[in-house]
Amino acid sequence: MVRHDHPTPVLGALGLFTVLLGAALPLIDFFIVNVALPTIDRDLAAGPAVLELVVAGYGLAYAVLLVVGGRLGDMAGRRRLFLLGMAAFGLTSLACGLAPGAWTLVGARVAQGAAAALMLPQVLATIQAATSGHRRARAMSLYGATAGLSMVAGQMLGGVLVAAAPLSSVFGQSAGWRSVFLVNVPVAAVGLVLAARAVPETRSDRPAPVDVPGTLLLTASLVTLLAPLTEGRAAGWPVWTWVCLGLFPFSAYAFYRVELRADRLGREPLVPPSLLRLESLRRGLALVVPFSIGFGGFMFVIAVALQQGLRLGPAAAGLALAPMAAAFFAASLAGPRLVRRYGSRVVTAGGLIQATGVLVLALTVWGRWPDLGPLGLLPGVAVAGLGQGLQLPVLFRIVLSGVPAARAGGGGGVMTTTQQASLALGVATLGALFLSLVPGSGMRGALVVTLLVQLAAVVLTTLLSLRLPRRVV
């Protein structure tokens, strides 16, 4: 049994497993619905605009509240907020799985995103506050591996669950898409039991109150950017989407000015601009953005292309990404040893490998479409996954390496918000590009163009990696 009042909290192996489970669930659920959307549309008569909200509602609530979740953990105790978030995530997953209609599902997904935002920031903050030295480096590598694997595994798991649950539900509809939410309920229950036993309580020595003006302006900034980009194409780009996009730069600038003023006055802003003075955090985040935009867009687009273009079933579409997950996992295991020897140049090498994989995948699609199956996709997705596994875990270590333990919640919140907002932005931008090209260029041409745009993001990430601190703590 863990002593939760220990003056120097230590995160043991079981506690690390538990918080990594809490990190995996929100990321899995961001992607798990991609292969379930056609079934949701058929069963609930949702339509394109509402389907976009099923994805976007979760992502928006998640991104908007992540930094607030980190701040609340600093104040009230990270273990306490982790338990609260895990319980809420299980309950909201149950609500999603039992939703009788499309709009009920949208509301439950928004609530699920809010629950995820309470839980996830506590993971990084607990690792920062309850580990040190080699144990922290190992824990951060495992966190990065968990994050990357969760994003791929979510899509794979979604396909398997949709295909394996064709039985009628209590609503007389397919249980397939409902199972992608209901599977979270027993997992969350186990997580609660483990967290109560194995996760130590940590909090900031000088907790700051929630920055209300900063929170409202951050919410306005993210909503005015992400809402029109995710919903605009499906809704036919009505006036409100252009109004929101026009307001975004003003709300973002107002947020920056308010946070800068609070920082200068010695207060505790929601996103302290002083944190960005940390070279490791600033330069690491500059890579997280293009990496996550490309990754998020790719996962959405490939799900649509495999199911609607190649007519693969949900299980086959999900399992086509198994080589990517396996290669990512292998690279993640080798990463810590490589980082000790080569430092941040591992990220550069990962970028070059990922670029090769994306290029191979684009050439394969161009040359073999539509006679293309999971086996034909294997070389490209495997090589891309290998490169991603050498990048993401190391980037997470670099971003948080210079953040003091007392500001772990804020630092973790900034990083996860940046990652989540970028994933959502990738789905919105690359997804909209792909779907807008399909009518004129066909599924093959649209997919190739989208992959080349992702390749450009990978090249940018690789070039920016040359500016990272050579030594990785």
Side-chain angles (χ1 to χ4, degrees):
M1 181 74 70
V2 172
R3 287 182 58 193
H4 302 296
D5 59 346
H6 197 284
T8 54
V10 175
L11 185 67
L14 183 59
L16 178 60
F17 170 80
T18 305
V19 295
L20 291 180
L21 178 66
L25 283 175
L27 290 168
I28 286 173
D29 263 67
F30 183 83
F31 291 96
I32 201 170
V33 298
N34 281 348
V35 291
L37 290 176
T39 314
I40 294 173
D41 187 22
R42 184 180 68 242
D43 284 354
L44 302 183
V50 178
L51 285 178
E52 293 277 3
L53 284 177
V54 171
V55 178
Y58 178 88
L60 277 173
Y62 186 23
V64 163
L65 296 174
L66 272 168
V67 182
V68 177
R71 178 64 58 84
L72 291 174
D74 287 347
M75 294 170 56
R78 291 152 188 155
R79 173 177 172 270
R80 180 178 298 176
L81 262 293
F82 183 83
L83 288 167
L84 178 62
M86 181 72 79
F89 192 83
L91 290 173
T92 53
S93 296
L94 180 63
C96 289
L98 298 179
W103 285 105
T104 308
L105 178 60
V106 170
R109 281 284 283 174
V110 171
Q112 190 187 34
L118 288 180
M119 179 170 57
L120 186 63
Q122 318 318 323
V123 176
L124 283 171
T126 299
I127 290 173
Q128 288 288 97
T131 62
S132 60
H134 175 69
R135 291 181 66 252
R136 179 183 293 176
R138 178 174 173 273
M140 286 304 303
S141 294
L142 288 173
Y143 174 86
T146 300
L149 280 173
S150 298
M151 291 186 282
V152 181
Q155 209 141 302
M156 292 168 53
L157 180 62
V160 171
L161 288 172
V162 170
L167 302 177
S168 295
S169 73
V170 293
F171 298 100
Q173 298 160 343
S174 170
W177 69 265
R178 297 185 186 278
S179 65
V180 306
F181 301 115
L182 295 176
V183 71
N184 293 328
V185 179
V187 177
V190 171
L192 282 171
V193 174
L194 294 178
R197 292 178 58 86
V199 176
E201 182 65 282
T202 63
R203 68 185 75 211
S204 175
D205 293 332
R206 296 182 294 108
V210 173
D211 173 15
V212 176
T215 300
L216 293 176
L217 285 170
L218 176 63
T219 301
S221 300
L222 291 175
V223 168
T224 53
L225 174 64
L226 295 179
L229 288 178
T230 53
E231 188 68 10
R233 185 200 61 83
W237 296 105
V239 173
W240 69 265
T241 59
W242 299 108
V243 172
C244 284
L245 289 173
L247 290 174
F248 165 69
F250 297 100
S251 57
Y253 180 73
F255 171 69
Y256 171 74
R257 295 299 303 177
V258 166
E259 298 298 274
L260 185 63
R261 184 172 183 273
D263 212 12
R264 287 174 176 171
L265 292 175
R267 300 171 187 164
E268 290 287 342
L270 187 68
V271 180
S274 57
L275 272 180
L276 297 178
R277 288 199 287 270
L278 298 171
E279 182 185 30
S280 56
L281 184 140
R282 184 177 67 252
R283 294 191 176 184
L285 287 181
L287 271 77
V288 169
V289 171
F291 180 94
S292 299
I293 288 174
F295 193 94
F298 169 79
M299 296 300 287
F300 175 79
V301 167
I302 202 70
V304 176
L306 294 183
Q307 289 191 85
Q308 297 185 10
L310 295 179
R311 303 298 179 187
L312 296 182
L319 292 175
L321 298 177
M324 176 178 283
F328 190 104
F329 183 66
S332 300
L333 292 179
R337 184 174 68 255
L338 294 172
V339 167
R340 284 195 296 273
R341 183 170 180 180
Y342 300 108
S344 64
R345 292 300 176 260
V346 172
V347 179
T348 306
L352 293 172
I353 294 170
Q354 186 190 1
T356 302
V358 174
L359 182 59
V360 167
L361 189 57
L363 292 174
T364 302
V365 169
W366 181 257
R368 299 183 59 181
W369 191 279
D371 302 316
L372 182 61
L375 193 61
L377 295 169
L378 189 152
V381 297
V383 173
L386 185 69
Q388 291 160 353
L390 293 175
Q391 292 175 283
L392 194 62
V394 184
L395 281 178
F396 285 163
R397 280 179 59 180
I398 291 172
V399 168
L400 295 177
S401 60
V403 178
R407 306 178 80 179
V414 169
M415 192 190 77
T416 48
T417 297
T418 302
Q419 182 200 20
Q420 180 61 36
S422 300
L423 286 172
L425 188 59
V427 173
T429 53
L430 293 185
L433 171 66
F434 171 74
L435 293 172
S436 65
L437 289 173
V438 168
S441 304
M443 195 73 71
R444 182 185 74 163
L447 181 56
V448 169
V449 170
T450 307
L451 287 170
L452 292 178
V453 173
Q454 185 198 0
L455 179 62
V458 176
V459 170
L460 176 60
T461 304
T462 306
L463 292 174
L464 289 173
S465 71
L466 298 174
R467 301 180 65 248
L468 290 173
R470 182 65 182 267
R471 182 170 175 269
V472 180
V473 180

